[in-house]
Amino acid sequence: IDDTVVGRTVTTAAIVKGLTQTKDRNQKSMAFVELFMGDGSVRAVCFSSKWSALRKYLKPGTLVLAQIEKTGRGYTLQEVMPV
């Protein structure tokens, strides 16, 4: 995923290693999610617009199919589906 071009979205199987829930500048819930993909881990932000719908799938130890967008600042979690 590190070799992915900025702006591209990658779909991959991953294990949720951990997450840190926080608030955005508007005091809405969001999270930073650590995903392990076999060849390494990434820390992706899950913004408030997605967090409420995706949080039920993002439990540590859970295997998921994740859509991750590479941005100029890191990675953004776009979609998660349980496996």
Side-chain angles (χ1 to χ4, degrees), residues 14-29:
I15 296 173
V16 179
K17 282 181 64 175
L19 61 93
T20 304
Q21 189 171 341
T22 188
K23 301 276 186 183
D24 65 14
R25 64 180 168 215
N26 298 314
Q27 298 303 307
K28 294 183 180 177
S29 293

Side-chain angles (χ1 to χ4, degrees), residues 8 20-22 34 39 51-52 55 64 67 72 74 77 82-83:
R8 293 274 173 104
T20 304
Q21 189 171 341
T22 188
E34 180 129 10
D39 59 348
W51 175 240
S52 60
R55 67 186 301 166
V64 296
Q67 289 183 347
L77 196 56
V83 176

Side-chain angles (χ1 to χ4, degrees), residues 1-3 12-18 33-44 66 68 75:
I1 194 163
D2 289 333
D3 298 332
T12 185
I15 296 173
V16 179
K17 282 181 64 175
V33 183
E34 180 129 10
L35 299 166
F36 176 72
M37 295 168 284
D39 59 348
S41 295
V42 297
R43 187 170 186 244
I68 305 164
Y75 301 97

